[in-house]
């Protein structure tokens, strides 16, 4: 019985480690865009000035990253 409980604890601990790895893999599967592509998209039409400052010329960013940077900038300016 003691062996079974130890094995269950080990299995539970290993399952907890899987979730962050899956999240990292999902983040890496997000499409990444160049600064020029982001500036040319309709999605960021109102935020072109911010994107031109927040995204580097040779950098590639996904939508989540761009939104996070924009929100961080807006929050920083409000404080």
């Amino acid at each position: 019985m003691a062996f079974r409980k130890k094995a269950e604890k080990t299995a539970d601990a290993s399952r907890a480690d899987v979730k962050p790895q899956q999240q990292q893999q999902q983040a890496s599967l997000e499409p990444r865009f160049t600064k020029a592509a982001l500036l040319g998209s309709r999605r960021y039409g109102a935020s072109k000035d911010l994107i031109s400052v927040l995204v580097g010329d040779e950098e590639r960013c996904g939508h989540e990253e761009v939104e996070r940077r924009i929100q961080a900038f807006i929050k920083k300016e409000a404080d």
Side-chain angles (χ1 to χ4, degrees):
M1 291 298 271
F3 177 74
R4 179 178 286 176
K5 288 182 181 179
K6 186 175 181 180
E8 288 174 358
K9 287 181 182 178
T10 305
D12 290 340
S14 66
R15 280 188 219 123
D17 293 339
V18 172
K19 288 184 180 181
Q21 291 173 354
Q22 288 175 344
Q23 290 173 349
Q24 289 174 353
Q25 289 174 352
Q26 289 174 351
S28 65
L29 295 177
E30 179 185 17
R32 316 230 357 121
F33 304 96
T34 62
K35 181 178 183 176
L38 293 168
L39 290 172
S41 71
R42 286 186 283 169
R43 181 176 185 164
Y44 299 111
S47 304
K48 287 183 181 186
D49 293 335
L50 284 175
I51 290 174
S52 65
V53 172
L54 299 174
V55 178
D57 292 334
E58 300 299 320
E59 188 176 9
R60 292 181 173 266
C61 293
H63 291 298
E64 289 180 16
E65 174 70 18
V66 172
E67 291 294 332
R68 193 176 82 241
R69 289 182 187 187
I70 290 172
Q71 292 305 316
F73 181 82
I74 290 170
K75 185 177 181 181
K76 181 177 123 181
E77 290 298 311
D79 290 339

